[in-house]
Amino acid sequence: MANAPDYLNPAVPRGLKRVVLPVVDATDENLAGYGRLVDDPASVAVEITRWPAQGSRPVDEDSGDEGGTTHGVFVSEWKGDILYGRNEAVGGHYILAYADEPSRADATHTRPPARMLLWHCNYHPDGGQLFFPLDRAPFFVPLALPGDDVRPEHFVCFRFDGTQGLYIHPNVWHEGVFAQSGIQRFFDQQGAVHARVSVDFAREFGCLLEAPLA
């Protein structure tokens, strides 16, 4: 994608097909390659990826990975059929998902969402990312392994019980954290460069990713 998405007005086309994701309970075994469970956020050293060389000469080993990390609170909040995300660490504000067809999504009701419909994901080539729940409640994170040839069917939706956090390796596809209902806050730490590579499922594949929240 050449242009950055409009995260608060994604203008998702009508009538897209759905690709239903498998939903699995997160364990260290099935998170292998994606990341790992976290009991104590203070114990996590976020990986920072060295700046890539531009030609045949390598980047000096004592440079290119000194940008460090940034941190803040990530808020995942359902307002009716729309799930909003706010990331204080990087000043981001997004529509993460919908609970109904985006064209008829109603942000005024208080019914709990039965599903999430995901229109976009990204990865960070500059570093890993940590999400740790400040409000102990179940949450979901769709993930796919690294690779720019990613397709909707490559994603798995991991379910967390809220007692542990998630550390995601660099280059792993994700899209924030998804509260099961209401408002949920997370401690977020990630690479300060905040490079982002995106996939727009609606426009690239004519679909939305769907996962049940029950």
Side-chain angles (χ1 to χ4, degrees):
M1 295 179 61
N3 299 315
D6 186 344
Y7 286 105
L8 289 176
N9 184 29
V12 176
R14 295 171 180 262
L16 299 175
K17 66 182 180 181
R18 311 278 179 82
V19 175
V20 179
L21 304 184
V23 179
V24 300
D25 291 324
T27 66
D28 276 327
E29 288 73 26
N30 61 28
L31 282 170
Y34 304 95
R36 63 179 177 86
L37 294 170
V38 174
D39 293 310
D40 177 7
S43 69
V44 175
V46 172
E47 299 161 278
I48 299 298
T49 304
R50 191 177 308 282
W51 194 266
Q54 301 302 300
S56 60
R57 294 180 183 272
V59 176
D60 290 350
E61 291 184 0
D62 62 348
S63 71
D65 59 354
E66 299 167 283
T69 63
T70 184
H71 66 271
V73 174
F74 190 103
V75 180
S76 185
E77 178 178 9
W78 282 101
K79 293 184 178 180
D81 296 324
I82 304 175
L83 179 63
Y84 290 94
R86 298 193 306 276
N87 188 347
E88 295 177 358
V90 295
H93 193 190
Y94 329 97
I95 290 179
L96 298 175
Y98 299 88
D100 200 352
E101 181 71 25
S103 62
R104 61 173 180 260
D106 177 3
T108 64
H109 70 77
T110 57
R111 299 185 300 274
R115 68 189 61 79
M116 60 183 189
L117 301 173
L118 182 64
W119 66 277
H120 171 272
C121 271
N122 59 223
Y123 69 82
H124 305 307
D126 62 294
Q129 188 165 13
L130 166 68
F131 294 108
F132 194 85
L134 300 174
D135 305 309
R136 300 302 178 94
F139 62 94
F140 297 78
V141 184
L143 300 172
L145 294 171
D148 281 1
D149 58 350
V150 71
R151 296 189 56 82
E153 57 268 25
H154 295 163
F155 281 81
V156 175
C157 185
F158 290 90
R159 178 172 48 218
F160 298 79
D161 65 8
T163 64
Q164 295 173 292
L166 168 66
Y167 176 70
I168 303 170
H169 293 307
N171 302 310
V172 168
W173 291 96
H174 65 286
E175 181 72 311
V177 274
F178 296 74
Q180 181 168 305
S181 63
I183 302 174
Q184 195 169 2
R185 299 170 305 131
F186 299 82
F187 172 73
D188 167 53
Q189 186 175 13
Q190 60 190 102
V193 172
H194 188 225
R196 191 176 60 226
V197 180
S198 290
V199 55
D200 184 329
F201 303 114
R203 291 167 179 82
E204 294 184 46
F205 298 100
C207 73
L208 298 172
L209 304 192
E210 178 176 351
L213 295 175

